Amino acid sequence: MTEGKRKFFDRLDRTGRLLENFALVVLLGGLVGVGVAEIVLREIFGRGISWAEEFSRLTVLWLAMIAAIAAARENRHIRIDALGHLLPDILFRATRVLVDLFAAAVCAVIAWHAWRYLQIEIEFEDTVFRETPAWIVHSVVPAAFALTAYRFVLSAAKSALGSDTAQTRTPMP
């Protein structure tokens, strides 16, 4: 890869990291803020925020989806590595490539079916927050799974080329 392309992809990766981290901070702050406000309003005034429960549920969905993308980005997702410490380097990398490609395929299938579900939701004109089309809020699901699949493909490519230094063996306990 040429130096210009590498710099472009590094810049793209940094921008993605910044956006993901920013979204996580804003969503978590909003969730905590609305939760605290709801508790205070209910305890002091006996009334709460009418949309607080729905906001909290949808914010947790968004947090989970964006955190899954970030976990795949950092290779910090749940991974069962029973034999990795026993394999030679070439087989270790090969198994990482296969596992990452399998995870990418699963995420892509889920993204496809979530997209199909979104189409049904558009057709039925479901709403959240009284008037907002639900498909807008729920569009995070297919997008997050598609981005997670993309992250797994990148991880597989890095493992195949042996250029991913973050993918180290898990030490035996």
Side-chain angles (χ1 to χ4, degrees), residues 97-131:
V97 169
L98 289 174
V99 167
D100 285 343
L101 289 176
F102 179 75
V106 169
C107 287
V109 167
I110 294 172
W112 169 250
H113 287 290
W115 176 257
R116 289 181 54 211
Y117 175 76
L118 212 59
Q119 300 304 310
I120 293 169
E121 204 168 39
I122 290 169
E123 185 178 318
F124 283 107
E125 298 178 357
D126 288 339
T127 60
V128 294
F129 299 119
R130 296 194 179 133
E131 296 180 15

Side-chain angles (χ1 to χ4, degrees), residues 24-95:
L24 287 170
V25 168
V26 168
L27 288 169
L28 188 59
L31 181 63
V32 170
V34 168
V36 168
E38 177 73 3
I39 291 169
V40 169
L41 289 172
R42 284 194 186 272
E43 290 298 319
I44 294 176
F45 300 108
R47 298 180 56 109
I49 305 169
S50 62
W51 47 265
E53 182 185 349
E54 190 171 25
F55 175 82
S56 296
R57 281 188 282 115
L58 293 171
T59 303
V60 168
L61 171 70
W62 275 71
L63 276 168
M65 294 292 101
I66 296 172
I69 298 167
R73 169 191 78 197
E74 299 290 333
N75 197 26
R76 297 182 63 109
H77 49 83
I78 295 173
R79 181 186 299 264
I80 299 172
D81 189 9
L83 300 174
H85 62 283
L86 299 174
L87 298 174
D89 284 341
I90 190 76
L91 284 177
F92 175 72
R93 281 203 332 244
T95 58

